[in-house]
Amino acid sequence: MKRGPALLIAAAALLSGTIAARATVIAESRVNDAVVAGAGMPRALSEFGFFADGARQVPGERVTPYALGTPLWSDGADKLRFIYLPEGTQLIADGEGLLQFPVGAAIIKTFAFGDGAERRLIETRVLLHRADGWVALPYRWNDEQTDATLALAGGRIDLVTPAGEAISYAIPNKNQCKSCHGKDGQVIPIGPKARNLSAEWLGQMQRKGWLVGATAGGDRLPDWRTHATGPAAPLARAYLDVNCAHCHQPGGGASNSGLDLRWEQDGAHALGILKRPVAAGRGAGGHDFSILPGAPDKSILLYRMDSAEPGIAMPELGKASVDREGGAVVRRWILEMKPE
Amino acid sequence: MKHLALAAALLASAAPLAAETHRVAPGEGAGTRLQEALILAVPGDVVELGAGRFVLADGLSLDVDGVTVRGAGMALTVLDFTNQQGAGEGLLVTSDNVTLRDFAVENAKGDAIKSKGADNIVYYRIRVTWTGGPLATNGAYGIYPVESTGVLIDGCMVSGASDAGIYVGQSRDITVRYSVAEYNVAGIEIENSRNAIVHDNLATRNTGGILVFDLPGLPVMNGGNVVVSDNVVVDNDTPNFAPPGNIVAGVRRGTGIMVMANDDVRIFGNRIDRNPTTAVMVISYPNAFDDAGYNPTPRKVMIAGNAIGRNGYDPQIDGAPALLAAFGGSLPPVLWDGLGNAPNASGKQDARAWTLNLPMQAAGFDKANPAPLQLEPRPPTPASVLPGAPAALEARLQ
């Protein structure tokens, strides 16, 4: 046979094979919109269809991975973040804040510990944007890593953090999701804010037609990978915004404290500088102020960050150990402040 | 979801018969079962806790309106947080029209029961105890409604809180009654709140019996229209065991009833006896502050008809021996710091006072220039709003 037709036949065979394979992949990885936008609480994570390969965290169709400039710290867990957008929908940006998600969208975050072959998926948290608001559900992975089961009441798992600490890691219960993901009594997303998403990612989403609107606005949050040597103030403010401000803001879980750690907060007293504790109890550590400029070891804010003890530790949820890197940046920031 | 919610609402309003009771027994996995019940409850449901000890590793939370959580009695149903590993409180309530009744919370690592933005809440026959006694390592608050409108606390008992046993903060329309607060730093505290009545309670063996505070720098300020009446405030002689840094750490051992700032506080018909520092203390916020909207001085404080026994005989105050000598063995029952308007009083004992004559707000105690003072009467003025919880909350007590 001449080379040309042989190649053609081979190519055709290859093509049909490829189409067949793709068809299989599409069927497995199609997200089930009825489950996402419906009324129930699916018992298994696989019912959503977010992943083509759950154990390897390969996203399905229209499920896009994303990363944050400064991410929330969770005992050093690896966090795999994804957004699902239904067919024909898009995100809307409005300046530097939270992207607006269409009804039927979902935000998915898997927590994992261990590297390479040793990686264990622990939990996947999903935020579902339904017609009457967001619903937050926690799912716990099985040992076989084949699927994750709804864990309404949360759960605890003994594991060792990347820092080498043996901890009892806590999967939040459905109410605890809302403790952080709550403002004025409504469940809301926290992470995907334009100022904490890379310009590249935003550009990609815009080019795909999955994001519209203007993302320009105030300053971007810094890249946390520069934490060791970058300027302390923006790093510390970013860290506090991402790890604390969901509660520590008006309308948030700690609104009664008067401490407001949002990135956009300008007032010194609201940020904790020379602010006296309100209801800290022994969380005050014997200190008089949330932040005493120039004196990190006399600052309640750092004292609580440096603790993992219930009743003292901050954040109250989502950590069973202490973030040394985060503490170091906040320490630098307070040290650089001029004492009054 | 919408029509389900509507159906639930209809069910809840139609008849209590339609509401479900979720029974949870103590034992293996109690924490998980109880938390699931609290999540899956719908408005109108009852979560019924069996008799026994629920050993809990994590805090619990309720975010569903109109749910009743009911135990078998404060001596019989115990939520035991001695081994608590996470969360800032034992039980956190963030929904409205909730009733908590007939159970106990022991040894929470943080606050025992906190209800935030939880309007129209009833705490009925709830016990909170830190079983090791008054320790700085105990949680701060026992019963802790905050940022709420409509709070009824009735027949409750709290002991061992390292800040306040019963603490109501940044709220309005509050009743605290028929309750016992003992061996706390502050027995009962009303802070930055309005329209509160604290009546017919026993506050004993605390550092300070009943506190009415208003602090700066908080989302809700300008507390006032508070009535403290018909309470028994005796033997509040436990040394202050609050962790240093908290404002309550400044309360002197042996304080009966203390007012800090606030507008319109009436102290009537209480029995105030054997409080070693003072029967009543009326002072301004003692620290520097930077808050244009805040008034640090107490205004319109009225003290009348109290049965004042022997107080102020062992005050925790600098220069106590000289003061005691000057006042003939025990300090007058009412202490005022000299700032703003003096409290008014009618009644022989109620009017016996002394003033610190502080030169200005946030002047230290060392700037005091003590002198005896006779308080003046004032014609009673009706309250702008009758203080207390809405009547509908009482209707739930059966």
Side-chain angles (χ1 to χ4, degrees):
Chain A
M1 198 184 273
K2 285 217 183 105
R3 217 159 150 254
L7 272 174
L8 222 72
I9 290 165
L14 200 64
L15 197 59
S16 59
T18 310
I19 287 170
R22 241 180 77 217
T24 316
V25 168
I26 287 171
E28 278 173 4
S29 69
R30 172 130 288 170
V31 174
N32 191 328
D33 286 311
V35 171
V36 174
M41 298 189 290
R43 216 181 152 270
L45 184 66
S46 54
E47 291 176 51
F48 292 104
F50 290 134
F51 297 104
D53 182 338
R56 288 190 196 80
Q57 290 285 289
V58 176
E61 267 209 18
R62 297 191 65 88
V63 179
T64 310
Y66 71 98
L68 298 176
T70 294
L72 173 75
W73 187 81
S74 305
D75 291 319
D78 283 325
K79 317 264 276 280
L80 299 115
R81 297 177 167 83
F82 307 89
I83 286 172
Y84 166 66
L85 291 173
E87 191 74 49
T89 68
Q90 33 190 210
L91 297 164
I92 303 175
D94 181 16
E96 59 158 53
L98 260 182
L99 303 179
Q100 287 170 50
F101 287 71
V103 171
I107 308 177
I108 305 127
K109 185 160 75 173
T110 299
F111 293 65
F113 285 88
D115 296 310
E118 304 294 313
R119 185 174 86 174
R120 314 289 305 153
L121 307 181
I122 304 296
E123 55 160 327
T124 294
R125 302 179 190 175
V126 305
L127 272 170
L128 310 167
H129 197 192
R130 296 179 163 172
D132 53 351
W134 289 89
V135 172
L137 295 174
Y139 287 83
R140 176 179 184 149
W141 283 86
N142 57 19
D143 288 336
E144 303 78 35
Q145 307 277 274
T146 53
D147 205 346
T149 312
L150 180 64
L152 271 187
R156 281 190 171 271
I157 295 162
D158 291 330
L159 52 82
V160 179
T161 69
E165 265 184 82
I167 61 166
S168 171
Y169 175 92
I171 297 172
N173 66 53
K174 180 170 177 282
N175 285 348
Q176 288 172 328
C177 297
K178 191 177 170 189
S179 283
C180 298
H181 282 274
K183 188 165 162 82
D184 297 320
Q186 304 298 311
V187 176
I188 52 156
I190 301 172
K193 296 184 172 96
R195 66 184 183 222
N196 206 13
L197 292 158
S198 73
E200 287 95 340
W201 186 88
L202 292 169
Q204 274 168 27
M205 294 293 279
Q206 279 163 336
R207 279 190 295 278
K208 279 205 279 205
W210 289 5
L211 171 65
V212 296
T215 57
D219 299 321
R220 308 200 75 76
L221 266 62
D223 186 333
W224 185 253
R225 289 170 300 188
T226 67
H227 69 87
T229 53
L235 280 164
R237 289 296 309 276
Y239 186 89
L240 294 172
D241 178 85
V242 164
N243 286 275
C244 317
H246 36 264
C247 289
H248 278 283
Q249 66 170 289
S255 55
N256 55 306
S257 70
L259 183 68
D260 181 356
L261 293 172
R262 287 174 297 167
W263 174 255
E264 58 266 39
Q265 175 58 249
D266 271 328
H269 184 269
L271 287 170
I273 295 168
L274 294 177
K275 178 191 180 300
R276 292 183 182 275
V278 174
R282 60 207 176 90
H287 307 303
D288 289 323
F289 302 106
S290 281
I291 296 175
L292 182 55
D297 288 314
K298 293 193 183 137
S299 296
I300 295 171
L301 191 132
L302 194 52
Y303 176 74
R304 302 194 81 166
M305 282 177 62
D306 279 345
S307 170
E309 218 187 295
I312 296 176
M314 277 294 164
E316 278 182 351
L317 295 171
K319 72 176 225 195
S321 56
V322 171
D323 184 3
R324 302 287 166 204
E325 289 173 2
V329 164
V330 170
R331 171 174 294 275
R332 260 205 293 143
W333 175 56
I334 297 176
L335 261 174
E336 285 173 12
M337 290 180 188
K338 288 210 189 69
E340 316 255 315
Chain B
M1 196 80 130
K2 256 191 198 144
H3 60 264
L4 269 177
L6 182 59
L10 285 173
L11 280 172
S13 60
L17 295 169
E20 241 188 79
T21 296
H22 309 261
R23 291 186 176 79
V24 185
E28 189 67 39
T32 301
R33 287 182 283 108
L34 179 46
Q35 184 58 72
E36 271 178 7
L38 293 171
I39 288 172
L40 293 171
V42 299
D45 281 359
V46 175
V47 175
E48 194 177 274
L49 310 174
R53 185 162 288 269
F54 292 69
V55 177
L56 300 161
D58 279 293
L60 298 163
S61 54
L62 172 63
D63 189 41
V64 180
D65 291 345
V67 169
T68 297
V69 182
R70 181 176 67 214
M74 64 161 70
L76 293 173
T77 296
V78 180
L79 304 183
D80 183 343
F81 290 97
T82 309
N83 295 318
Q84 183 176 1
Q85 293 178 54
E89 49 284 309
L91 170 62
L92 172 66
V93 178
T94 47
S95 46
D96 299 336
N97 298 305
V98 165
T99 302
L100 305 174
R101 55 178 298 171
D102 295 305
F103 62 88
V105 174
E106 288 185 357
N107 299 330
K109 294 290 191 250
D111 307 316
I113 309 179
K114 175 174 173 182
S115 56
K116 181 171 186 292
D119 296 340
N120 296 316
I121 189 163
V122 173
Y123 290 81
Y124 184 50
R125 302 195 300 213
I126 298 286
R127 174 173 65 85
V128 173
T129 311
W130 278 273
T131 59
L135 299 171
T137 46
N138 294 344
Y141 300 130
I143 290 177
Y144 177 15
V146 66
E147 288 185 346
S148 303
T149 298
V151 175
L152 173 59
I153 296 170
D154 183 316
C156 296
M157 301 186 62
V158 184
S159 84
S162 67
D163 192 309
I166 297 174
Y167 171 99
V168 186
Q170 299 184 63
S171 296
R172 36 197 320 129
D173 305 337
I174 301 146
T175 298
V176 180
R177 68 183 190 186
Y178 311 139
S179 295
V180 176
E182 49 183 359
Y183 294 108
N184 308 287
V185 175
I188 300 172
E189 180 169 353
I190 306 292
E191 185 169 277
N192 289 50
S193 291
R194 297 200 63 84
N195 312 335
I197 177 162
V198 176
H199 75 91
D200 291 288
N201 302 286
L202 168 61
T204 185
R205 302 294 184 197
N206 305 289
T207 302
I210 300 178
L211 276 54
V212 182
F213 278 18
D214 191 45
L215 305 182
L218 292 178
V220 178
M221 292 186 292
N222 300 314
N225 191 22
V226 177
V227 172
V228 178
S229 71
D230 302 291
N231 300 287
V232 176
V233 184
V234 299
D235 293 299
N236 289 290
D237 55 8
T238 295
N240 195 316
F241 61 97
N246 296 283
I247 192 88
V248 81
V251 173
R252 307 302 163 124
R253 167 192 59 65
T255 302
I257 298 175
M258 179 172 178
V259 177
M260 181 191 292
N262 273 285
D263 173 28
D264 193 352
V265 182
R266 302 158 196 245
I267 301 171
F268 295 163
N270 302 284
R271 172 143 177 270
I272 315 174
D273 197 8
R274 297 189 306 278
N275 300 289
T277 288
T278 183
V280 178
M281 185 184 297
V282 180
I283 64 167
S284 310
Y285 178 68
N287 298 321
F289 66 94
D290 184 11
D291 204 324
Y294 173 70
N295 186 333
T297 61
R299 290 138 280 146
K300 281 168 62 184
V301 177
M302 182 68 166
I303 305 166
N306 299 288
I308 297 183
R310 190 168 166 263
N311 303 278
Y313 46 87
D314 183 15
Q316 191 197 349
I317 291 182
D318 292 339
L323 286 166
L324 283 172
F327 283 112
S330 64
L331 304 178
V334 181
L335 161 59
W336 175 47
D337 66 357
L339 296 167
N341 300 316
N344 296 105
S346 57
K348 223 173 105 184
Q349 282 287 31
D350 308 73
R352 275 187 58 228
W354 64 295
T355 169
L356 299 179
N357 272 320
L358 289 184
M360 61 179 133
Q361 190 265 336
F365 196 87
D366 52 311
K367 302 287 188 299
N369 187 13
L373 177 69
Q374 194 70 13
L375 299 177
E376 301 289 315
R378 171 167 61 82
T381 48
S384 46
V385 169
L386 266 178
L393 302 196
E394 262 192 79
R396 289 196 226 152
L397 307 180
Q398 272 137 37

